[in-house]
Amino acid sequence: MQFRSTETYVAPPDLTVAVNAAVALERPLLVKGEPGTGKTELARQVAASLGLEMVEWNIKSTTKAQQGLYEYDAVSRLRDSQLGDERVNDVKNYIRKGKLWQAFEADRKIVLLIDEIDKADIEFPNDLLQELDKMEFHVYETGETIRAAHRPVVIITSNNEKELPDAFLRRCFFHYIRFPDAEVMKQIVSVHFPDIKDRLLAEALTQFYEIRETPGLKKKPSTSEVLDWLKLLLAEDLDPEDLRREGANLLPKLHGALLKNEQDVHLFERLAFMARRQGR
């Protein structure tokens, strides 16, 4: 099973090596990188490239590790017992399978995505150590042990909002997705917009990387945001000349696709003001 770039996803060589190494080692692949660099999409493309189904577990700040295994609905069982429902005689009727259980009981190898693990409580990764290492867990209410029939390909993403425990990191193969340079970005854009004109793309990417490198920028625009921007430029049928920024007009055309907070908009407005003063 070898992962490689697909028709809709450009994977740099180092990312391809990381995915295939994690698959060969049968260890979770921990992927970090700026938001918008394709971490979540990677799991979908790995599944597509390897011809596997995918189970996706999106982590929130309130998510507990136990929810990934199963949840026992004691309240519903109590209510049904009061109503004389015969379902109460089988505790399995009140157990909801979590995403790990679904992945473990699959009849063939699948891809399991644990998305944005750093959003959860700091103890969340530690609570999954044994389950991800041994690929099994115990259901106390029924006394059964759930074991993975086929070890899934586990991909875990993190935006680096919290430090992950060392014990958890030791069990993972790690890869940091670097922001793509201009040449790789051209390949990514060509996948999404194969008919875009070279001059327009060159001007747009020049401006995009200049914006990213502007000192004091609070949120750098990401890959997904430049794709949205290019889609708008094509929809407006703009020429490279229409994108040129001069003097008082340092904000890019349709800048709302790239700049996502008022501080960054004000930054470019201040730069334009300074440029006007210097030009007097």
Side-chain angles (χ1 to χ4, degrees), residues 24-217:
L25 291 171
E26 295 189 326
R27 287 190 175 275
L29 173 64
L30 174 61
V31 184
K32 291 186 178 183
E34 288 183 34
T37 49
K39 299 185 296 297
T40 301
E41 185 62 23
L42 170 65
R44 301 188 181 110
Q45 296 299 329
V46 168
S49 175
L50 302 182
L52 305 178
E53 294 181 3
M54 189 177 87
V55 171
E56 186 170 345
W57 187 14
N58 297 300
I59 307 303
K60 301 178 181 179
S61 59
T62 56
T63 303
K64 302 299 181 185
Q66 181 64 34
Q67 294 171 313
L69 309 179
Y70 68 93
E71 291 183 275
Y72 171 53
D73 191 352
V75 174
S76 292
R77 193 181 189 194
L78 175 60
R79 183 188 63 240
D80 288 348
S81 68
Q82 293 171 339
L83 297 174
D85 193 323
E86 293 185 359
R87 295 175 72 250
V88 299
N89 296 321
D90 189 351
V91 69
K92 291 183 179 180
N93 291 325
Y94 303 93
I95 290 180
R96 290 194 293 265
K97 298 177 180 179
K99 298 296 185 179
L100 265 69
W101 191 328
Q102 295 174 30
F104 287 5
E105 72 175 2
D107 56 6
R108 59 193 293 257
K109 183 181 284 289
I110 67 165
V111 173
L112 170 63
L113 169 63
I114 304 177
D115 199 24
E116 298 189 332
I117 193 171
D118 53 322
K119 279 188 176 180
D121 183 86
I122 189 63
E123 291 302 322
F124 181 91
N126 280 332
D127 292 341
L128 289 177
L129 284 179
Q130 290 297 105
E131 289 77 9
L132 290 177
D133 195 27
K134 297 184 178 298
M135 286 290 155
E136 65 179 42
F137 63 89
H138 188 70
V139 183
Y140 296 97
E141 288 77 7
T142 64
E144 61 184 325
T145 298
I146 306 301
R147 294 185 178 87
H150 305 276
R151 194 178 186 96
V153 176
V154 182
I155 297 178
I156 304 170
T157 72
S158 169
N159 287 327
N160 236 4
E161 292 181 9
K162 294 189 185 81
E163 287 294 326
L164 299 175
D166 289 345
F168 181 81
L169 295 175
R170 283 198 300 272
R171 288 165 168 81
C172 298
F173 189 94
F174 172 75
H175 183 75
Y176 183 86
I177 298 182
R178 295 180 179 84
F179 196 83
D181 59 25
E183 286 304 312
V184 174
M185 187 64 78
K186 286 180 182 178
Q187 297 177 42
I188 295 171
V189 171
S190 67
V191 167
H192 295 270
F193 308 109
D195 298 325
I196 191 170
K197 295 178 180 178
D198 290 341
R199 288 180 60 244
L200 176 62
L201 178 58
E203 180 64 30
L205 289 186
T206 297
Q207 286 197 24
F208 172 71
Y209 281 99
E210 286 177 353
I211 291 169
R212 278 187 54 86
E213 293 167 7
T214 301
L217 199 67

Side-chain angles (χ1 to χ4, degrees), residues 1-5 12-27 29 42 46 49-50 153 173:
M1 301 177 70
Q2 290 290 310
F3 167 69
R4 55 180 59 88
S5 296
D14 59 338
L15 178 57
T16 302
V17 169
V19 171
N20 290 324
V23 172
L25 291 171
E26 295 189 326
R27 287 190 175 275
L29 173 64
L42 170 65
V46 168
S49 175
L50 302 182
V153 176
F173 189 94

